[in-house]
Amino acid sequence: MDEYLLKRMVSSVIAITGVSLLTFLLLFVLPGDPAEMLAIAKYGPRDATQAAIDHLIRQEGLDQPVVLQYARWLKGVLGGDMGISRISGKPVWQEINVRLPATLYLAGTSLVISLCVGLPLGIVAALQRGTCWDHLATGTSLIGVAIPNFWLGLILILVFGLYLGWLPTFGYGTLPHLVLPAATVGISMAGITARLTRSAVIDVLGQAYIKTARAKGLPGHVILGRHVIKNALIPIITIAGIQLGHLLEGTVIIEMVFAWPGIGRLLIEAVHNRDVSQIQGCVLYIAIVFCLVNVFIDLLYTRLDPRVRLNDRD
């Protein structure tokens, strides 16, 4: 286990380092003078004079080779210094930390809705395969998958926010503010979860050990809980991990529709304002989140299915 975990951590560090290099090169790919952009971010548009730009070039070593600049930038990142946001004038990591609770709040609730709705729907569809319940559950999940997020969000705003007046349509801070954006994201993901759960459960139900368990006279609920659901969890966890990764990077469209102050909205604002330091910070954050989620999912596999190899010697 330790060796497997070490390998996964090393591969994650390599991936994050590659992403950090790409995000650093973003400064030189975007149109405009990198020194001028940094000067505007640091001093503001009014004080970013030519003298200030020349001073920044000497101070930051922008006239040095790119490799040395990357090494200096990476050292700053490891020390918690990602530069200053052009929009707010505050440190980049501070801006991300301010937006992170909103993203975690929305991501966690949406994932819970997805699992609470999608798992039962998929299991019922698989157990009642070919019946009206199967068609009803499959059709419902298909609708959830097919409806675009932004369209569902607008419909919920019109019905529950404007027509009925039950819930606020935008903002953040209280439980009612969370309901509509979390329901929008959760319902869309529940459709995918339900369809995958149905397929996984049907596959497990056709295995020989399930027939053996039935031949032994085990009750249906025991077979379902002890054998079917446990063995069907691996593909479900895979898709849940991918969904969680996307949620933690911020659901851009939903955050814009509901004015939700998360990471996705922060990234969009940074792109609109050509805030390179903020873009670099957000992209690096997303890469780290994806790597950590993947490591966690891989470790979870080994707990659910001992047949999953931990290392090359197994």
Side-chain angles (χ1 to χ4, degrees):
M1 175 66 80
D2 292 339
E3 183 180 352
Y4 176 78
L5 180 60
L6 181 62
K7 286 182 178 178
R8 295 294 293 119
M9 293 302 294
V10 169
S11 63
S12 298
V13 169
I14 293 173
I16 293 172
T17 304
V19 173
S20 72
L21 178 59
L22 293 177
T23 55
F24 173 76
L25 294 177
L26 188 67
L27 180 66
F28 302 92
V29 173
L30 290 178
D33 183 7
E36 183 180 356
M37 288 190 290
L38 291 176
I40 293 174
K42 190 169 185 177
Y43 303 116
R46 182 175 299 177
D47 297 328
T49 61
Q50 186 59 47
I53 294 174
D54 293 339
H55 173 71
L56 190 63
I57 290 175
R58 294 190 297 273
Q59 184 183 44
E60 300 293 334
L62 297 178
D63 53 348
Q64 295 180 353
V66 176
V67 176
L68 294 179
Q69 295 184 45
Y70 171 70
R72 185 183 299 106
W73 177 81
L74 189 60
K75 181 181 178 182
V77 170
L78 294 176
D81 179 14
M82 276 291 296
I84 304 297
S85 169
R86 175 180 175 179
I87 303 174
S88 64
K90 298 178 180 177
V92 169
W93 282 119
Q94 183 178 336
E95 286 294 299
I96 293 177
N97 288 334
V98 169
R99 301 295 187 99
L100 190 56
T103 295
L104 294 176
Y105 197 32
L106 178 59
T109 309
S110 301
L111 188 63
V112 169
I113 292 175
S114 169
L115 296 177
C116 289
V117 175
L119 285 177
L121 208 61
I123 292 173
V124 169
L127 296 179
Q128 303 295 326
R129 186 181 183 186
T131 67
C132 62
W133 293 108
D134 180 20
H135 298 313
L136 181 63
T138 305
T140 303
S141 62
L142 184 59
I143 292 173
V145 173
I147 294 178
N149 267 345
F150 68 91
W151 188 85
L152 179 61
L154 293 177
I155 292 298
L156 293 178
I157 287 175
L158 288 174
V159 174
F160 295 101
L162 301 181
Y163 182 71
L164 297 174
W166 289 352
L167 296 166
T169 57
F170 64 91
Y172 164 76
T174 65
L175 184 60
H177 286 99
L178 175 66
V179 175
L180 291 184
T184 303
V185 180
I187 290 173
S188 299
M189 294 195 311
I192 301 173
T193 304
R195 294 184 68 80
L196 187 64
T197 302
R198 178 183 181 276
S199 175
V201 171
I202 288 176
D203 182 61
V204 174
L205 287 174
Q207 298 297 318
Y209 59 85
I210 298 297
K211 297 176 182 176
T212 303
R214 286 173 174 161
K216 288 181 177 178
L218 287 177
H221 67 277
V222 175
I223 297 175
L224 181 65
R226 187 179 298 173
H227 299 291
V228 176
I229 294 180
K230 181 179 178 181
N231 290 288
L233 275 179
I234 287 184
I236 298 170
I237 288 175
T238 301
I239 194 66
I242 294 173
Q243 290 176 335
L244 180 61
H246 284 295
L247 287 172
L248 291 177
E249 76 184 46
T251 52
V252 175
I253 296 177
I254 297 304
E255 290 181 2
M256 297 302 289
V257 169
F258 291 96
W260 191 263
I263 297 294
R265 192 178 172 195
L266 178 65
L267 179 58
I268 291 297
E269 291 171 352
V271 171
H272 283 170
N273 292 280
R274 296 180 63 196
D275 189 347
V276 178
S277 299
Q278 192 67 69
I279 296 173
Q280 290 173 328
C282 290
V283 173
L284 197 57
Y285 158 80
I286 291 169
I288 293 172
V289 165
F290 259 103
C291 288
L292 291 179
V293 169
N294 280 327
V295 170
F296 175 74
I297 295 300
D298 287 348
L299 292 177
L300 202 55
Y301 286 165
T302 64
R303 299 289 298 176
L304 292 173
D305 189 351
R307 295 172 299 177
V308 177
R309 291 186 174 188
L310 297 181
N311 53 54
D312 295 336
R313 291 178 304 177
D314 290 338

